Amino acid sequence: MTEPLTAIVGPEAAPGPQVQLLDPQGRRHDHPLYGPLAAGLTTDQLRTMYRDMVLTRAFDTAATALQRQGELGLWPPCQGQEGAQVGSAHALRPRDFVFPSYREHGVAQVRGLDLRELLPVFRGTRHGGWDPRTHNFHIYTFVIGAHTLHAVGYAMGVQRDGDVGTGDPARDRAVVAYFGDGATSQGDTNEALVFAASTNAPVVFFCQNNQWAISVPSTTQSRVPLASRGGGFGMPSVRVDGNDVLACYAVATEALERARSGGGPTFIEAVTYRMGAHTTSDDPTRYRDRAEEDLWRTRDPITRLRAHLEAEGLADEAFVAGVDDDAAALVAEVRAFARGLEPPPHSAMFDHVYTAAHPLIDAERAEQAAFEASFAEADQ
Amino acid sequence: MPLARAINAGLRRAMEHDEKVMLMGEDIGPLGGVFRVTADLHKDFGPARVVDTPLAESGIIGTAIGLAMAGYRPVCEIQFDGFVFPGFDQITSQLAKLTYRSNGYLSLPVVIRMPFGGGIGAVEHHSESPEALFAHTAGLRIVTPATAADGYAMIQQAIAAPDPVIFLEPKSRYWDKGEVDLTAAVDLDERAVTTGLHAARTVRPGEDVTVVGYGPTVKTVLTAAEVAAGEGTSVEVIDLRSVSPLDVDAVAASVARTGRLVVVHEAPVFFGPGAELAARISERCFYLLQAPVLRVGGFHTPYPAAVHEEEYLPGLDRVLDAVDRSLAY
Ligand SMILES: Cc1ncc(C[n+]2csc(CCOP(=O)(O)OP(=O)(O)O)c2C)c(N)n1
C-alpha cells in the first residue's frame, strides 16, 4: 500500500488518495514507485494505447447501436472504463492468462481477440465461441465473481507447473481476474482472495470500481475503500485512478511482476466510471443524476491521453485522423458481421454438452431432428 | 478390502498413472479425510498433489475449474453430501456448462467425490442424497459404486473421463468388504469411461420382478431378493451404477422379461431418479408391464433426525412390501 486510505463518503466522492500519473488535463505527474514503471513507455506504446482505447470505444458504441437496432439482444457497454482496461492489459505478456467478466471489451482488444468474436454471445447465437487458449483470454462469465476462483485455480496450476519465480521472462506467468465493485460482495470473490493468499498464487485481482453495480452504488457493497479489502486478506492493495491509462499500466505492471516472480497476489482497485447504462436494458436516469455523469466526463481517459500526446508532440493531426479512420473501418466491419451472423441449426444445441459421447444427448438429438423433420414432411 | 480402502487404492493408482491428477479438499491431507479415503496419499504424493484447502466449497470447485483449464485433473472431496451446496453454483453454473459455453474448446476433467446417503446415525446435513439435483443438470456425469471392486475401478475411470463427474460414495457401505484385484489394469480408454462407467449391472438374475438400486441400496435390495427367494419369489437385481447417464436399455431388457419394476433409492421419491426411470420404462415397456413401476425411497421431508432414519430409508421391509404390491397386480 503506497498511500493512506480514507473512507469514501459517497460514490461521487470516490476519488481519494490514488495513484495518478496523468491528470484529467493530460499533465504528467510523477510517483515515487509507479512513475518509473511508466517512464519507459515508448511513443509507439503510448500511441498504441491511445489507438486501443479509441477502437474499443468505437466498437462499443457500434455494438450499443446494433442492440438498439435489434441486431443484438443485449450489450454491456464499457465506455468510460477504457483507461483501466487498456492500461492494465498493456502490462500483460502473451503467456499471462486473463479471466474477464462480461464488460472487458478493451482487454479483449489489447489481447488481440477479434472484437467481432464478442458479438455472437450477445446476439444469442452461442454462449462463448472463442478458444480461450488462443489469446489466453477466457470466455465471458456472467455469474458475478465466479471466475475469480477460476483465475486463482489457473494460477495454482501455473504455480504447479513451476512457471513462477524462475527469472526467465519467457517462462514466468501471471493470471488476472477482472471484476466490478459489486463482485467484491460475492462469496466467490472472497473465497478467491482466501485461496490466492493461502496459496500465494500468481494472480492479480483487478477490480474496476465503476461506482455502480447496476443501480446500487459501491457504498452499498463496502463501507471502506475497496482497495483496503485486499489488506485484510494479507495481500498488497493499490488504489489507482482508473481513468488514467498510464497509472493503470504502472500498477498492473508492478502487480503482475510480483505475481510472476513468485511474490503472490495483489488487489488493485481502479477507480473509474461507467458512462453508459449497465447494459442496454438498463436506465441509469432512474438512479443517478446527470451532474455525476458530467463530472466524470471531464475525467475521460481518452481525451486525457490525447491531450498528453499532443502536448508532448507525440501525436499530430495525421495520427489522430488515422486512428479515427481505423475506428470507422472497424465499425463498418462489425456492422456487416453482425448483420451477417446466421443462426446455427437447432441441432447445434446438442453439441458440446459433454466432451465424450452421452446416450441421452444422442437420443434427444435424434428425437428433436425427427420432430423437426416431421414438419418438413407435413409441408410437402 | 473395504470400499473406502478400494477407493483409496484407485486414487493412488490414478495418481501414479497421471501426474496431473491432484486431490483437493478439506482435511484430506495428513488426516486422510474424515472417512480416511485419502489416507497416506499426502505422505506419499506431497502437499502439492494432495491439497488441504481452505474451508470453502465454492472455492474448492471454482479453483478446480481453473486448475483443469491449466491442464490438471483435480479430484475434489466434499466432506459430506450436505455441504456441497455452497459449491452448487460452481458445479451447476460453471463446471457443468463450460464445455458447452466454450463451444467445446474447453474440457473439464474434474471429479467431485462425496460421501452420500444415510444410515450412520449422523447429525443433520450428513446423510443426504443430492443426486437428482445434479442429474437435472446437463454436462455432469453422476456415478456411484456399490462394491469395493467398483469403487476401485470406477474412481479411476471417473478421473480418466474428459467430463466432470460427480462421484457419490455410499458412506454406509464404506466399511463393507469385497474382492478387489489390484493387479488387474482398469480399462481407461474413452469407450470404457463413457460406456463402461455408465453401464448398469445385473447382480442377481431373477424372473418375477426387477428391482433396481444403486449405491447404498444395492445391498438392501440383494438382501431383500434373498428373503424373497425363500418365499418363492425370484427377484432380478440391477445395480444402476450411474444416475446420469441412465442405462435405461439394461433396465428395459430386464423388465421385458419380468414385466415388473421396483426402483429403490435413498433420495426422496418425489422428482427423484426413480421417477425418471419409471417414466422412461413406462414409455418403452408399456405393453410389457404387468404392474405400474413402483418406487421406494426417502420422503418429502428434510433428511430426518437419526431416530427416524430407519423409517425414512428404504429398508428391507419396504422393499419386500413393494415387491409384493407389484406381484399383486
Ligand atoms: C451471482 C449474480 N447475481 C446477480 C447477477 C445480476 N447482475 C448482473 S451484473 C450485476 C451488477 C454487477 O456489478 P459489478 O460487479 O460492480 O460489475 P459492473 O457490471 O459494474 O462492471 C448484477 C447484480 C449476476 N449476474 N450474478
Side-chain angles (χ1 to χ4, degrees):
Chain A
M1 243 174 283
T2 56
E3 302 190 76
L5 298 164
T6 52
I8 303 172
V9 291
E12 323 77 50
Q18 49 187 259
V19 179
Q20 189 184 70
L21 299 178
L22 203 57
D23 69 20
Q25 286 69 46
R27 288 182 301 247
R28 267 305 263 271
H29 294 271
D30 199 18
H31 185 285
L33 176 58
Y34 296 105
L37 292 170
L41 285 167
T42 63
T43 304
D44 244 14
Q45 283 174 304
L46 292 171
R47 285 176 178 233
T48 306
M49 285 180 174
Y50 175 75
R51 185 173 184 276
D52 283 335
M53 287 197 289
V54 172
L55 259 54
T56 301
R57 183 165 297 180
F59 165 76
D60 188 61
T61 310
T64 305
L66 283 167
Q67 195 281 333
R68 299 290 181 229
Q69 291 155 11
E71 300 289 339
L72 299 177
L74 183 80
W75 185 252
C78 71
Q79 190 189 338
Q81 300 181 218
E82 297 91 343
Q85 296 188 7
V86 168
S88 58
H90 267 269
L92 293 161
R93 296 199 192 132
R95 277 170 54 79
D96 295 335
F97 207 105
V98 176
F99 286 82
S101 50
Y102 44 77
R103 200 191 292 286
E104 273 66 73
H105 321 318
V107 182
Q109 158 71 15
V110 178
R111 287 311 267 175
L113 187 83
D114 182 337
L115 291 178
R116 291 177 299 188
E117 293 263 25
L118 298 172
L119 299 179
V121 175
F122 296 97
R123 183 161 168 115
T125 57
R126 64 187 186 203
H127 288 330
W130 62 90
D131 184 345
R133 287 160 302 205
T134 308
H135 302 286
N136 283 357
F137 184 77
H138 190 49
I139 55 172
Y140 278 1
T141 296
F142 291 91
V143 179
I144 302 297
H147 63 297
T148 58
L149 280 165
H150 308 162
V152 175
Y154 194 93
M156 288 162 66
V158 167
Q159 209 174 25
R160 278 171 172 66
D161 290 343
D163 293 350
V164 280
T166 69
D168 177 358
R171 174 152 185 202
D172 291 341
R173 317 172 63 188
V175 181
V176 189
Y178 286 90
F179 54 94
D181 44 303
T184 61
S185 296
Q186 281 285 341
D188 277 3
T189 306
N190 287 273
E191 292 190 23
L193 290 161
V194 170
F195 271 72
S198 93
T199 60
N200 207 41
V203 62
V204 175
F205 295 97
F206 195 89
C207 173
Q208 290 170 78
N209 179 358
N210 67 5
Q211 313 305 320
W212 295 94
I214 310 187
S215 68
V216 178
S218 60
T219 45
T220 301
Q221 316 295 341
S222 178
R223 290 180 63 162
V224 297
L226 291 175
S228 63
R229 291 273 192 93
F233 290 93
M235 64 185 73
S237 301
V238 194
R239 193 166 201 228
V240 61
D241 180 343
N243 286 12
D244 171 352
V245 70
L246 299 186
C248 289
Y249 168 82
V251 298
T253 297
E254 194 246 359
L256 286 162
E257 204 35 54
R258 170 160 43 250
R260 292 187 203 107
S261 63
T266 304
F267 187 101
I268 296 172
E269 176 194 4
V271 180
T272 181
Y273 195 75
R274 155 168 66 71
M275 292 304 298
H278 171 71
T279 67
T280 42
S281 321
D282 169 50
D283 173 12
T285 62
R286 285 170 165 270
Y287 54 83
R288 67 186 193 192
D289 56 40
R290 196 55 190 263
E292 182 182 305
E293 292 172 21
D294 289 344
L295 173 69
W296 280 91
R297 212 177 306 283
T298 64
R299 298 171 181 159
D300 188 80
I302 298 183
T303 329
R304 197 185 292 207
L305 182 60
R306 182 164 153 184
H308 173 66
L309 291 176
E310 285 173 349
E312 299 289 312
L314 303 177
D316 54 17
E317 251 172 62
F319 167 73
V320 172
V323 170
D324 288 344
D325 288 347
D326 290 351
L330 173 66
V331 167
E333 275 173 29
V334 164
R335 298 183 65 82
F337 177 83
R339 297 234 152 86
L341 269 176
E342 292 291 338
H346 294 313
S347 66
M349 74 177 140
F350 297 100
D351 294 342
H352 311 303
V353 180
Y354 293 87
T355 298
H358 191 288
L360 182 61
I361 298 293
D362 295 344
E364 291 191 356
R365 184 201 301 272
E367 213 174 278
Q368 197 272 337
F371 186 64
E372 206 167 275
S374 71
F375 285 103
E377 275 161 33
D379 284 347
Q380 276 169 11
Chain B
M1 116 174 8
L3 173 63
R5 290 285 310 154
I7 298 171
N8 175 274
L11 288 168
R12 175 179 292 278
R13 190 68 182 251
M15 295 182 80
E16 286 163 356
H17 174 77
D18 180 353
E19 62 171 28
K20 292 292 189 181
V21 173
M22 54 176 291
L23 314 185
M24 47 200 298
E26 295 157 12
D27 306 295
I28 67 163
L31 180 67
V34 290
F35 288 104
R36 308 292 183 268
V37 176
T38 58
D40 297 331
L41 298 174
H42 181 270
K43 176 164 66 69
D44 297 340
F45 293 96
R49 294 192 65 196
V50 182
V51 184
D52 262 337
T53 63
L55 210 171
E57 286 72 20
S58 193
I60 293 168
I61 293 153
T63 53
I65 290 170
L67 279 156
M69 283 181 62
Y72 286 80
R73 297 186 97 86
V75 182
C76 306
E77 175 172 308
I78 297 296
Q79 204 155 66
F80 280 95
D81 36 57
F83 303 138
V84 72
F85 299 108
F88 196 71
D89 167 58
Q90 284 286 346
I91 296 175
T92 55
S93 301
Q94 304 297 328
L95 182 60
K97 291 185 183 153
L98 266 164
T99 297
Y100 195 67
R101 282 169 48 211
S102 70
N103 250 29
Y105 284 119
L106 297 175
S107 159
L108 276 291
V110 175
V111 175
I112 299 172
R113 296 178 34 239
M114 72 189 100
F116 88 121
I120 63 161
V123 296
E124 65 175 336
H125 309 300
H126 289 71
S127 305
E128 326 215 338
S129 299
E131 57 268 30
L133 295 166
F134 293 115
H136 201 63
T137 303
L140 302 173
R141 298 174 180 276
I142 298 143
V143 301
T144 172
T147 63
D150 261 357
Y152 176 68
M154 286 170 74
I155 188 64
Q156 294 181 62
Q157 292 181 327
I159 293 170
D163 293 309
V165 179
I166 306 287
F167 192 84
L168 300 167
E169 302 173 2
K171 70 169 85 75
S172 60
R173 309 299 183 212
Y174 266 146
W175 304 278
D176 287 2
K177 292 187 178 152
E179 290 287 318
V180 182
D181 182 359
L182 298 179
T183 57
V186 172
D187 191 351
L188 297 180
D189 74 12
E190 187 161 305
R191 246 193 86 70
V193 303
T194 56
T195 311
L197 183 60
H198 300 291
R201 189 147 53 211
T202 305
V203 287
R204 180 188 168 112
E207 280 141 35
D208 301 332
V209 51
T210 302
V211 184
V212 170
Y214 59 82
T217 60
V218 173
K219 186 179 179 181
T220 316
V221 171
L222 275 171
T223 312
E226 198 69 40
V227 174
E231 293 164 0
T233 303
S234 170
V235 172
E236 176 145 304
V237 179
I238 293 180
D239 173 5
L240 218 43
R241 298 173 78 246
S242 171
V243 174
S244 178
L246 202 50
D247 191 347
V248 184
D249 289 346
V251 180
S254 174
V255 171
R257 284 185 286 105
T258 62
R260 295 182 159 86
L261 175 63
V262 175
V263 190
V264 184
H265 51 61
E266 292 192 4
V269 166
F270 190 66
F271 275 86
E276 185 60 39
L277 199 51
R280 285 177 187 269
I281 292 300
S282 305
E283 274 180 40
R284 293 268 292 269
C285 307
F286 188 68
Y287 293 107
L288 303 169
L289 281 168
Q290 298 177 38
V293 178
L294 299 179
R295 294 168 288 158
V296 187
F299 300 114
H300 197 55
T301 68
Y303 193 87
V307 287
H308 307 301
E309 68 180 348
E310 214 166 306
E311 284 64 42
Y312 177 89
L313 292 171
L316 186 60
D317 290 339
R318 281 171 64 201
V319 175
L320 287 170
D321 173 63
V323 167
D324 288 347
R325 278 191 288 129
S326 178
L327 287 166
Y329 275 91

